[in-house]
Amino acid sequence: MTGAPITRADQAREAAVEAALGKLELDDKARLLAGQDNWSLPALPEIGLASLVMSDGPIGVRGVRWTADDPSVALPSPTALAATWDPQLARRAGRLLAQEARRKGVHVLLAPTVNLHRSPLGGRHFEAYSEDPYLTGEIGTGYVLGVQDGGVGTTVKHFVANDAETDRFTVDNIVAPRPLRELYLAPFEAIVKNAHPWGIMAAYNQVNGHSMTEHRYLQNEVLRGEWGFDGYIVSDWLAARSTTGALLGGLDVAMPGPKTVYGQALAAAVRAGDVEESLVDDAVRNVLRLAARVGVLDNAPAVVAQSTLPAPVDGDALAREIARRSFVLVRNEVRDGHRALPLDPARIRTVALSGAAARDARILGGGSATVFPPHVVAPLDGLTAALPEGALSYRVGADPSDQLGVADKGFELRAVCRAADGRELGTTHIPSGMVQWVGADLPDGVRYDELHTVEFTGTFTPRESGDHTFGTRGIGPLVLTVGGEKVWAGEERLGDSSDPFNAFFGERLERARVTLTEGEPVDVSLRLTVPRLPGAPMDAVAFSLLHLGPRRDPGDLIAEAVDAARNADAAVVVVATTAAVESEGFDRTSLELPGHQNALVAAVAAVNPNTVVVVNTGSPVELPWRDDVAAVLLSWFPGQEGGAALADVLTGAEEPGGRLTTTWPVSLADVPVSDTTPADGELHYTEGVFIGYRAWERTGTAPAYPFGHGLGYTDWEYETLHATTGSATVTLRNTGTRPGRETVQIYLAPAPGTAPGAPERPRRWLAGFASVEAGPGESVEVSVPLRARAFEIWDERENTWAAVPGTYEIQAGRSLTDHRLTATVERLL
């Protein structure tokens, strides 16, 4: 059970829920469990219930419309947030997102994502926190507490074992009970216990032969029964496939609407005797309880009153703080008697910056996490503002985008909606050449029954002269015009992907090449005749105008960057992945950086010993040049203030605060668990409990950078460690010359011979952590609680948790492999 005390307010909410439920007839109950559109549940004024509104929200609150007219603060990616190793910072992030949600009329965020980094190839790796279940649970707990501090619900997802994207709608993940409990369920359990979330999202996939939206054991017996979860369970979008199966399996809400397996179909199933109406009542209670908690049910006090909301949060400032606290400095070598970072203004007067991502930063991952921020500070912007005038030079060097991408830089576009007779129904500004309008997400004044065409129209001002490639993505008749000339017209049919979203969005296809001149605007338009797809689960418009700039000779670009770097005191190279490499909807096939970025780094490092590489990715990539450069800084997808935070860290105004939450390999060939591709519809988790660092230590292969690794700008001496089975107390001293922050990590290692005959356990595992701050020469003491669960395993024979008695070494240090102090404890039965 969650153990949350029952208050008078809880009792009042439950009374209001029961009173409202008692007034409802079967048809209204069934309707309440089905989305009325893509983002909301229906209002029932007769019982005082307003419409419940949901929104995607891992790093920002997009709201119910795919538009930049109401921009959203874009925080760093979840991998970045977790890299701070600071649950309290995650809580502050959650409070900011609740503030954004309230501003946009949103009651429930569809976040956080607490699936594990089982394989570095996972396409949605950037949206999850870590390979470690304990760290994931701690960061997720902070996030949920923060959002719900602000009176907004959370939906912890994707329950469970949704750890890859390949065939995500159909894959059956075969997971033994022990790894299921110790790894994949563990973050959800911790969050339910410690944060009392108001929602859980059931995943697309199956687990051990049962669809998660219909999984009676995991949803009813484990989540609700063992853990005491009392919130609502909502399907991932289009995940619910069976009316009776979903209800019997514990699913409360089927999204999106209006066409779902609930609603009229559910009422009919009750009348036919296929399911009991009492089960419908249980689901409605859970929805009404959510409504009561967020304050949209009459006579029910919201959990957070307006008068007790947290103080307002400065979104720009917090986004910048999280970014710099998340940056992981994995290498910082001595050059000419000085560390490469921070850049010393007494020695470093000129800096050569290169990499296309320095100018056009990738600040967030693709897919449902996408938001439209009010502004973006790229590395070029941040360093230009931070360095003296004339100190910085910039060259492209290498462009990772060698494929068509959504029209963005240089495009000024609006979307015009027209009826079949040519009448203009509505128009809206679009931030890029893409719309994803679903359900009621349409410009003001536009209805699907009238909508005939949508046209992107506006101008494109090229940054470079040469042949520009234009393309399209979308289903239906399309007409592309550039410079007043029709350059392509045709029709694309619905694809056959097993993922309905990918099938509907279509393929990225090249349509025309047009020679344009730098700085000279041209008119562009792309018109879609909106297709009518019989049987589609929802009304939607989704299509894109694509673009790729002129392709220059890679050798020439690198040569220009090398010439600039040769004469500079330091060189900074920014490398990155692209949306075609790392995004929701597909897994990666390689860990290589796209394009000629590796060649750029090698060439620059060959002429400048003070080369610093900034890695702008959401998840691990191979760094074949890592030992040849002076410093390597991982910046993740750093959010809208990433460039400003990068300047803070490179110049030494702030310290990089991040530590790795997942192991970074030398190469994909070394990765002990990498498979994301099902065979005959099944993906077997044959590695058991050995994923991430647990698997690396089992194989004995050394990664590029271990779990927990990260350097700062000062030095720390670990002085004393006192440990019991309940806590570890560490004293450490800042022995450097500047204030600093340290993440103290506690690992638990069973002594050889402990528990003979017991199932194999990892060599060690993370048992606790804490952050400390100290000035130069100061000592600080921190006590880290150790959970009883850290000494337990899941006993598959008894189907319960069991303590493993014996001798354990408590290791305190800076990473998995850098432990500074040890102590021995005895765990008794």
Side-chain angles (χ1 to χ4, degrees), residues 649-716:
V649 167
L650 293 184
T651 61
E654 300 287 347
E655 184 180 38
R659 304 294 185 265
L660 287 180
T661 67
T662 198
T663 307
W664 274 53
V666 173
S667 71
L668 179 57
D670 297 333
V671 175
V673 180
S674 61
D675 186 25
T676 61
T677 304
D680 298 323
E682 296 181 345
L683 182 62
H684 290 256
Y685 287 32
T686 56
E687 69 280 352
V689 298
F690 293 92
I691 68 167
Y693 64 82
R694 295 164 168 82
W696 283 92
E697 292 212 311
R698 188 190 198 193
T699 63
T701 305
Y705 304 111
F707 178 85
H709 176 61
L711 308 173
Y713 287 162
T714 190
D715 298 309
W716 296 87

Coordinates of all heavy atoms in Angstrom, one line a residue, residues 649-716:
V649 N 29.3 27.1 -18.7 CA 30.2 26.0 -18.3 C 31.5 26.1 -18.9 O 32.6 25.9 -18.3 CB 29.5 24.6 -18.6 CG1 30.5 23.5 -18.5 CG2 28.3 24.4 -17.6
L650 N 31.5 26.4 -20.2 CA 32.8 26.5 -20.9 C 33.7 27.6 -20.4 O 34.9 27.5 -20.3 CB 32.6 26.6 -22.4 CG 32.0 25.5 -23.2 CD1 31.9 25.8 -24.7 CD2 32.8 24.2 -22.9
T651 N 33.1 28.7 -20.0 CA 33.9 29.9 -19.5 C 34.2 29.8 -18.0 O 34.9 30.6 -17.5 CB 33.1 31.2 -19.8 OG1 31.9 31.2 -19.1 CG2 32.9 31.4 -21.3
G652 N 33.6 28.8 -17.3 CA 33.8 28.6 -15.9 C 32.9 29.4 -15.0 O 33.1 29.4 -13.8
A653 N 32.0 30.1 -15.6 CA 31.0 30.9 -14.7 C 30.2 29.9 -13.9 O 29.8 30.2 -12.7 CB 30.1 31.7 -15.6
E654 N 30.0 28.7 -14.4 CA 29.3 27.6 -13.6 C 30.1 26.3 -13.9 O 30.8 26.2 -14.8 CB 27.9 27.4 -14.1 CG 27.0 28.7 -13.9 CD 26.7 28.9 -12.5 OE1 26.9 28.0 -11.6 OE2 26.1 30.0 -12.2
E655 N 29.9 25.4 -13.0 CA 30.5 24.1 -13.0 C 29.6 23.1 -13.7 O 28.4 23.1 -13.5 CB 30.8 23.6 -11.6 CG 31.6 22.3 -11.5 CD 31.8 21.9 -10.1 OE1 30.9 22.1 -9.2 OE2 32.9 21.3 -9.8
P656 N 30.1 22.2 -14.6 CA 29.3 21.1 -15.1 C 28.9 20.2 -14.0 O 29.8 19.6 -13.3 CB 30.2 20.4 -16.2 CG 31.6 20.7 -15.7 CD 31.5 22.0 -15.0
G657 N 27.6 19.9 -13.8 CA 27.2 19.2 -12.6 C 26.8 17.7 -12.9 O 26.4 17.0 -11.9
G658 N 26.7 17.3 -14.1 CA 26.1 16.0 -14.5 C 27.0 14.8 -14.2 O 28.2 14.9 -14.2
R659 N 26.3 13.7 -14.0 CA 27.0 12.4 -13.9 C 26.2 11.4 -14.8 O 25.0 11.5 -14.9 CB 26.9 11.9 -12.4 CG 27.6 12.8 -11.4 CD 29.1 13.0 -11.6 NE 29.7 13.8 -10.6 CZ 30.0 15.1 -10.7 NH1 29.6 15.7 -11.8 NH2 30.5 15.7 -9.7
L660 N 26.9 10.4 -15.3 CA 26.2 9.5 -16.3 C 25.2 8.7 -15.6 O 25.4 8.1 -14.5 CB 27.2 8.6 -16.9 CG 28.2 9.3 -18.0 CD1 29.1 8.3 -18.5 CD2 27.4 9.9 -19.1
T661 N 24.0 8.6 -16.2 CA 22.9 7.7 -15.7 C 22.8 6.5 -16.6 O 22.0 5.6 -16.3 CB 21.6 8.4 -15.8 OG1 21.2 8.7 -17.2 CG2 21.6 9.8 -15.1
T662 N 23.7 6.3 -17.5 CA 23.8 5.1 -18.4 C 25.2 5.0 -18.8 O 25.9 6.0 -19.0 CB 22.8 5.2 -19.5 OG1 22.5 4.0 -20.1 CG2 23.3 6.2 -20.6
T663 N 25.6 3.8 -19.1 CA 27.0 3.5 -19.5 C 27.2 3.8 -20.9 O 26.4 3.5 -21.8 CB 27.3 2.0 -19.3 OG1 26.9 1.6 -18.0 CG2 28.7 1.6 -19.6
W664 N 28.3 4.5 -21.2 CA 28.7 4.9 -22.6 C 29.7 3.9 -23.1 O 30.8 3.8 -22.6 CB 29.2 6.3 -22.7 CG 28.1 7.3 -22.8 CD1 27.0 7.4 -22.0 CD2 27.9 8.3 -23.8 NE1 26.2 8.4 -22.4 CE2 26.7 9.0 -23.5 CE3 28.7 8.7 -24.9 CZ2 26.2 10.0 -24.3 CZ3 28.2 9.8 -25.6 CH2 27.0 10.4 -25.4
P665 N 29.4 3.2 -24.2 CA 30.3 2.2 -24.7 C 31.3 2.8 -25.6 O 31.2 3.9 -26.1 CB 29.3 1.3 -25.6 CG 28.3 2.2 -26.1 CD 28.1 3.2 -25.0
V666 N 32.4 2.0 -25.8 CA 33.4 2.3 -26.8 C 32.8 2.1 -28.2 O 32.9 3.0 -29.1 CB 34.7 1.5 -26.7 CG1 35.6 1.7 -27.8 CG2 35.3 1.7 -25.3
S667 N 32.1 1.0 -28.4 CA 31.5 0.7 -29.7 C 30.3 -0.2 -29.4 O 30.1 -0.8 -28.4 CB 32.4 0.0 -30.7 OG 32.7 -1.3 -30.2
L668 N 29.4 -0.2 -30.4 CA 28.2 -1.0 -30.3 C 28.5 -2.5 -30.1 O 27.8 -3.2 -29.4 CB 27.3 -0.8 -31.6 CG 26.0 -1.6 -31.6 CD1 25.1 -1.4 -30.4 CD2 25.3 -1.3 -32.9
A669 N 29.6 -2.9 -30.7 CA 30.0 -4.3 -30.7 C 30.3 -4.7 -29.2 O 30.2 -5.9 -28.9 CB 31.3 -4.6 -31.5
D670 N 30.6 -3.8 -28.3 CA 30.9 -4.1 -26.9 C 29.7 -4.2 -26.1 O 29.8 -4.7 -24.9 CB 31.9 -3.0 -26.4 CG 33.2 -3.0 -27.1 OD1 33.6 -4.0 -27.6 OD2 33.8 -1.9 -27.1
V671 N 28.6 -3.6 -26.5 CA 27.4 -3.5 -25.7 C 26.8 -4.9 -25.3 O 26.5 -5.6 -26.2 CB 26.3 -2.6 -26.4 CG1 25.1 -2.6 -25.5 CG2 26.9 -1.2 -26.6
P672 N 26.7 -5.2 -24.1 CA 26.3 -6.5 -23.7 C 24.8 -6.8 -24.0 O 24.4 -8.0 -24.2 CB 26.6 -6.6 -22.2 CG 26.7 -5.2 -21.7 CD 27.2 -4.4 -22.9
V673 N 24.0 -5.8 -23.9 CA 22.5 -6.0 -24.2 C 22.2 -4.9 -25.2 O 22.2 -3.7 -24.9 CB 21.7 -5.8 -23.0 CG1 20.2 -6.0 -23.4 CG2 22.1 -6.8 -21.9
S674 N 21.9 -5.3 -26.5 CA 21.6 -4.3 -27.5 C 20.4 -4.6 -28.3 O 19.9 -3.7 -29.0 CB 22.8 -4.1 -28.4 OG 23.1 -5.3 -29.1
D675 N 19.9 -5.8 -28.3 CA 18.8 -6.2 -29.2 C 17.5 -5.5 -28.9 O 17.0 -5.6 -27.8 CB 18.7 -7.7 -29.1 CG 17.7 -8.3 -30.2 OD1 17.5 -7.6 -31.2 OD2 17.1 -9.3 -30.0
T676 N 16.9 -5.0 -30.0 CA 15.6 -4.4 -29.8 C 14.6 -4.9 -30.9 O 13.5 -4.5 -31.0 CB 15.6 -2.8 -30.0 OG1 16.1 -2.5 -31.3 CG2 16.5 -2.2 -29.0
T677 N 15.0 -6.0 -31.6 CA 14.2 -6.5 -32.7 C 13.6 -7.8 -32.4 O 14.3 -8.8 -32.1 CB 15.1 -6.7 -34.0 OG1 15.8 -5.4 -34.3 CG2 14.3 -7.1 -35.2
P678 N 12.2 -7.8 -32.4 CA 11.6 -9.1 -32.1 C 11.8 -10.2 -33.1 O 12.0 -9.8 -34.3 CB 10.1 -8.7 -32.0 CG 10.1 -7.2 -31.9 CD 11.3 -6.7 -32.6
A679 N 11.7 -11.4 -32.7 CA 11.7 -12.5 -33.6 C 10.3 -13.3 -33.5 O 10.0 -13.6 -32.3 CB 12.8 -13.5 -33.3
D680 N 9.6 -13.4 -34.6 CA 8.3 -14.0 -34.5 C 7.4 -13.3 -33.5 O 6.6 -14.0 -32.8 CB 8.4 -15.5 -34.2 CG 9.2 -16.3 -35.3 OD1 9.0 -15.9 -36.5 OD2 9.9 -17.2 -34.9
G681 N 7.5 -12.0 -33.4 CA 6.6 -11.2 -32.6 C 7.1 -11.1 -31.1 O 6.4 -10.5 -30.3
E682 N 8.1 -11.8 -30.8 CA 8.6 -11.8 -29.4 C 10.0 -11.3 -29.2 O 10.8 -11.5 -30.1 CB 8.5 -13.3 -28.8 CG 7.2 -13.9 -28.8 CD 7.2 -15.3 -28.2 OE1 8.3 -15.9 -28.1 OE2 6.1 -15.8 -27.8
L683 N 10.2 -10.6 -28.1 CA 11.5 -10.1 -27.8 C 11.8 -10.6 -26.4 O 11.2 -10.3 -25.4 CB 11.6 -8.6 -27.8 CG 13.0 -8.0 -27.4 CD1 14.0 -8.4 -28.5 CD2 12.9 -6.4 -27.3
H684 N 12.8 -11.5 -26.3 CA 13.1 -12.2 -25.1 C 14.2 -11.5 -24.3 O 15.3 -11.2 -24.8 CB 13.5 -13.7 -25.4 CG 12.4 -14.5 -25.8 ND1 11.8 -15.5 -25.0 CD2 11.8 -14.6 -27.0 CE1 10.9 -16.1 -25.7 NE2 10.8 -15.6 -26.9
Y685 N 13.9 -11.1 -23.1 CA 14.9 -10.5 -22.2 C 15.8 -11.5 -21.5 O 15.7 -11.7 -20.3 CB 14.2 -9.6 -21.2 CG 13.5 -8.3 -21.6 CD1 13.0 -8.2 -22.9 CD2 13.4 -7.2 -20.8 CE1 12.4 -7.0 -23.4 CE2 12.8 -6.0 -21.2 CZ 12.3 -6.0 -22.5 OH 11.7 -4.8 -22.9
T686 N 16.6 -12.2 -22.4 CA 17.3 -13.3 -21.9 C 18.4 -12.9 -20.9 O 19.0 -13.8 -20.2 CB 17.9 -14.1 -23.1 OG1 18.7 -13.2 -23.8 CG2 16.9 -14.7 -24.0
E687 N 18.8 -11.7 -20.9 CA 19.8 -11.2 -20.0 C 19.4 -11.2 -18.5 O 20.3 -11.0 -17.6 CB 20.3 -9.8 -20.4 CG 19.3 -8.7 -20.2 CD 18.2 -8.6 -21.2 OE1 18.3 -9.3 -22.3 OE2 17.3 -7.8 -21.1
G688 N 18.1 -11.4 -18.3 CA 17.7 -11.4 -16.9 C 17.9 -10.0 -16.2 O 17.5 -9.0 -16.7
V689 N 18.5 -10.0 -15.0 CA 18.7 -8.8 -14.3 C 20.0 -8.1 -14.7 O 20.3 -7.0 -14.1 CB 18.8 -9.1 -12.8 CG1 17.5 -9.6 -12.3 CG2 20.0 -10.0 -12.4
F690 N 20.7 -8.6 -15.8 CA 21.9 -8.0 -16.1 C 21.8 -7.1 -17.4 O 22.0 -7.5 -18.5 CB 23.0 -9.1 -16.4 CG 23.3 -9.9 -15.2 CD1 22.6 -11.0 -14.8 CD2 24.3 -9.4 -14.3 CE1 22.9 -11.7 -13.7 CE2 24.6 -10.1 -13.2 CZ 24.0 -11.3 -12.8
I691 N 21.4 -5.8 -17.1 CA 21.4 -4.8 -18.1 C 22.3 -3.7 -17.6 O 22.6 -3.6 -16.4 CB 20.0 -4.2 -18.4 CG1 19.4 -3.5 -17.1 CG2 19.0 -5.4 -18.8 CD1 18.2 -2.7 -17.4
G692 N 22.6 -2.7 -18.5 CA 23.4 -1.6 -18.1 C 24.7 -2.0 -17.4 O 25.4 -3.0 -17.8
Y693 N 25.1 -1.3 -16.4 CA 26.4 -1.5 -15.7 C 26.5 -2.9 -15.1 O 27.5 -3.5 -15.0 CB 26.7 -0.5 -14.7 CG 25.8 -0.4 -13.5 CD1 25.9 -1.3 -12.4 CD2 24.8 0.6 -13.4 CE1 25.1 -1.2 -11.3 CE2 23.9 0.7 -12.4 CZ 24.1 -0.2 -11.3 OH 23.2 -0.2 -10.2
R694 N 25.3 -3.5 -14.7 CA 25.3 -4.8 -14.2 C 25.8 -5.8 -15.3 O 26.6 -6.7 -14.9 CB 23.9 -5.2 -13.8 CG 23.3 -4.4 -12.7 CD 21.8 -4.6 -12.6 NE 21.2 -4.1 -11.4 CZ 20.9 -2.8 -11.1 NH1 21.2 -1.9 -12.1 NH2 20.3 -2.5 -10.0
A695 N 25.4 -5.6 -16.5 CA 25.9 -6.5 -17.6 C 27.3 -6.2 -18.0 O 28.1 -7.1 -18.2 CB 25.0 -6.3 -18.8
W696 N 27.7 -4.9 -18.0 CA 29.1 -4.6 -18.3 C 30.1 -5.3 -17.3 O 31.1 -5.8 -17.7 CB 29.3 -3.1 -18.3 CG 28.8 -2.4 -19.5 CD1 27.5 -1.8 -19.7 CD2 29.4 -2.2 -20.7 NE1 27.4 -1.3 -20.9 CE2 28.5 -1.5 -21.6 CE3 30.7 -2.5 -21.2 CZ2 28.9 -1.1 -22.9 CZ3 31.1 -2.1 -22.5 CH2 30.2 -1.4 -23.3
E697 N 29.8 -5.2 -16.0 CA 30.7 -5.8 -15.1 C 30.7 -7.3 -15.2 O 31.7 -8.0 -14.9 CB 30.3 -5.4 -13.6 CG 30.5 -3.9 -13.4 CD 30.9 -3.6 -12.0 OE1 30.1 -4.1 -11.1 OE2 31.9 -2.9 -11.7
R698 N 29.5 -7.9 -15.5 CA 29.5 -9.3 -15.7 C 30.4 -9.8 -16.8 O 31.0 -10.8 -16.7 CB 28.0 -9.7 -15.9 CG 27.8 -11.3 -15.9 CD 26.4 -11.6 -16.4 NE 25.9 -12.9 -16.0 CZ 24.8 -13.4 -16.6 NH1 24.1 -12.8 -17.5 NH2 24.5 -14.6 -16.2
T699 N 30.4 -9.1 -17.9 CA 31.2 -9.5 -19.1 C 32.6 -9.1 -18.9 O 33.5 -9.7 -19.6 CB 30.7 -8.8 -20.4 OG1 30.8 -7.4 -20.3 CG2 29.2 -9.2 -20.6
G700 N 32.9 -8.1 -18.1 CA 34.3 -7.7 -17.9 C 34.8 -6.8 -18.9 O 36.0 -6.4 -18.9
T701 N 34.0 -6.3 -19.8 CA 34.4 -5.4 -20.9 C 34.4 -3.9 -20.3 O 33.4 -3.5 -19.6 CB 33.4 -5.4 -22.1 OG1 33.4 -6.8 -22.5 CG2 33.9 -4.6 -23.2
A702 N 35.4 -3.2 -20.6 CA 35.5 -1.8 -20.1 C 34.8 -0.9 -21.1 O 35.0 -0.9 -22.3 CB 36.9 -1.4 -20.0
P703 N 33.8 -0.1 -20.6 CA 33.2 0.9 -21.5 C 34.1 2.1 -21.7 O 35.1 2.3 -21.1 CB 31.9 1.3 -20.7 CG 32.4 1.2 -19.3 CD 33.3 0.0 -19.2
A704 N 33.6 3.0 -22.5 CA 34.3 4.3 -22.7 C 34.2 5.1 -21.4 O 35.2 5.6 -20.9 CB 33.7 5.1 -23.8
Y705 N 33.0 5.2 -20.8 CA 32.8 5.9 -19.6 C 31.7 5.2 -18.7 O 30.7 4.8 -19.2 CB 32.3 7.3 -19.9 CG 33.2 8.1 -20.8 CD1 32.8 8.4 -22.1 CD2 34.4 8.5 -20.4 CE1 33.6 9.1 -22.9 CE2 35.3 9.2 -21.2 CZ 34.9 9.5 -22.5 OH 35.7 10.2 -23.3
P706 N 32.1 4.9 -17.5 CA 31.2 4.1 -16.6 C 30.0 4.8 -16.1 O 30.0 6.1 -16.0 CB 32.1 3.6 -15.5 CG 33.1 4.7 -15.4 CD 33.3 5.2 -16.8
F707 N 29.0 4.1 -15.6 CA 27.9 4.6 -15.0 C 28.3 5.5 -13.8 O 29.2 5.1 -13.0 CB 27.0 3.5 -14.5 CG 25.8 3.9 -13.7 CD1 24.6 4.2 -14.3 CD2 25.8 3.9 -12.3 CE1 23.5 4.6 -13.6 CE2 24.7 4.3 -11.6 CZ 23.5 4.6 -12.3
G708 N 27.7 6.7 -13.7 CA 28.0 7.5 -12.5 C 29.2 8.5 -12.8 O 29.4 9.4 -12.0
H709 N 29.9 8.3 -13.9 CA 31.1 9.1 -14.2 C 30.7 10.6 -14.5 O 29.7 10.9 -15.1 CB 31.9 8.5 -15.3 CG 33.1 9.3 -15.7 ND1 34.1 9.6 -14.9 CD2 33.4 9.9 -16.9 CE1 35.0 10.3 -15.5 NE2 34.6 10.5 -16.8
G710 N 31.6 11.5 -14.1 CA 31.4 12.9 -14.4 C 32.4 13.7 -13.6 O 32.6 13.5 -12.4
L711 N 33.0 14.7 -14.3 CA 34.1 15.5 -13.6 C 33.5 16.9 -13.4 O 32.6 17.4 -14.0 CB 35.3 15.6 -14.6 CG 35.9 14.3 -15.1 CD1 37.0 14.5 -16.1 CD2 36.4 13.5 -13.9
G712 N 34.1 17.6 -12.4 CA 33.8 19.0 -12.1 C 35.0 19.9 -12.3 O 36.0 19.5 -12.9
Y713 N 35.0 21.0 -11.7 CA 36.1 22.0 -11.8 C 36.8 22.1 -10.5 O 37.6 23.1 -10.3 CB 35.5 23.4 -12.2 CG 35.1 23.4 -13.7 CD1 34.3 24.4 -14.1 CD2 35.6 22.5 -14.6 CE1 33.9 24.5 -15.5 CE2 35.2 22.5 -16.0 CZ 34.4 23.6 -16.4 OH 34.0 23.7 -17.7
T714 N 36.6 21.2 -9.5 CA 37.3 21.2 -8.3 C 37.6 19.8 -7.9 O 37.2 18.9 -8.6 CB 36.6 22.0 -7.2 OG1 37.4 22.1 -6.1 CG2 35.3 21.2 -6.7
D715 N 38.4 19.6 -6.9 CA 38.8 18.2 -6.4 C 38.2 17.9 -5.1 O 38.0 18.8 -4.2 CB 40.3 18.1 -6.4 CG 40.9 18.3 -7.8 OD1 40.5 17.6 -8.7 OD2 41.9 19.1 -7.9
W716 N 37.9 16.6 -4.8 CA 37.3 16.2 -3.6 C 38.1 15.1 -2.9 O 38.5 14.2 -3.6 CB 35.9 15.7 -3.8 CG 35.0 16.8 -4.3 CD1 34.8 17.2 -5.6 CD2 34.2 17.7 -3.5 NE1 33.9 18.2 -5.7 CE2 33.5 18.5 -4.4 CE3 33.9 17.8 -2.1 CZ2 32.6 19.5 -3.9 CZ3 33.1 18.8 -1.7 CH2 32.4 19.6 -2.6

